[in-house]
Amino acid sequence: MKRHPAWLALGLMLCVVIACNLGRKSTNLSTNSTPEPANSNRETPATSTGALSDVHMARDDGEGDPGEETSIFNSKDRTIHCVAKLKDAKSGTKMKFSWYVVEAEGGSNEKIKDIDYTTRTLENIVHGHLIAPRDWPVGKYKVEVHVNGNLEETVSYTVE
């Protein structure tokens, strides 16, 4: 039986295509080293560089700083914090917290505000916060946390 070189080349090309596709799937794994709970309110986008070790929402402690960690707020919680912990404390890291209404009384899919911040020496915990002039509308909200222009995490929270 005579083997035709075109069939051999086609077979080799098919193997290369399959190997490339299998390799591509493995690069989309999360860079987080700890597994997230099934009901987590955090989402790691495809643009993440792994610059953050933790992101969470928190109530105000009554003195303007983050207090109790939570993802459910009361409409009377006027100040809402988003706390981000950087893996490396580097001076000059550009942080941005983008706050959105996902679906709430009176609005949906709207940006509330961007908060920009640049870290100083040895600063690895940064928090952005919003203060409402009146009670928050009941609904679903989210905060996108950017580090040096990359969307690192999206954190969802609700106001009841």
Side-chain angles (χ1 to χ4, degrees):
M1 182 167 125
K2 184 176 180 183
R3 294 192 178 133
H4 198 282
W7 285 111
L8 181 61
L10 182 63
L12 288 172
M13 184 64 89
L14 182 62
C15 289
V16 169
V17 169
I18 290 171
C20 288
N21 282 337
L22 290 175
R24 190 176 317 139
K25 287 180 184 173
S26 67
T27 61
N28 288 333
L29 295 176
S30 172
T31 57
N32 293 335
S33 58
T34 56
E36 290 292 328
N39 61 354
S40 173
N41 62 339
R42 287 176 53 186
E43 179 182 320
T44 304
T47 60
S48 176
T49 64
L52 299 173
S53 63
D54 180 49
V55 178
H56 65 269
M57 302 303 294
R59 284 193 172 83
D60 192 74
D61 69 355
E63 297 180 14
D65 291 318
E68 172 192 0
E69 182 177 335
T70 186
S71 62
I72 301 172
F73 294 88
N74 184 296
S75 64
K76 297 189 184 310
D77 289 331
R78 296 284 176 90
T79 303
I80 297 178
H81 295 268
C82 180
V83 181
K85 184 174 182 181
L86 293 161
K87 286 185 180 175
D88 294 317
K90 294 179 184 174
S91 178
T93 300
K94 306 272 188 218
M95 302 284 299
K96 181 167 84 170
F97 296 86
S98 297
W99 299 76
Y100 294 89
V101 174
V102 175
E103 184 179 336
E105 296 171 353
S108 63
N109 300 319
E110 296 177 29
K111 183 179 270 191
I112 301 170
K113 185 176 186 171
D114 284 331
I115 298 172
D116 295 309
Y117 184 77
T118 302
T119 62
R120 296 181 295 250
T121 305
L122 301 177
E123 194 172 28
N124 71 328
I125 298 176
V126 179
H127 66 93
H129 66 278
L130 287 184
I131 302 172
R134 57 187 173 278
D135 291 353
W136 285 96
V138 172
K140 297 178 182 179
Y141 298 81
K142 70 178 181 179
V143 181
E144 294 179 348
V145 182
H146 301 256
V147 179
N148 292 326
N150 293 307
L151 175 58
E152 294 292 335
E153 297 276 349
T154 300
V155 185
S156 299
Y157 65 98
T158 57
V159 174
E160 297 180 343

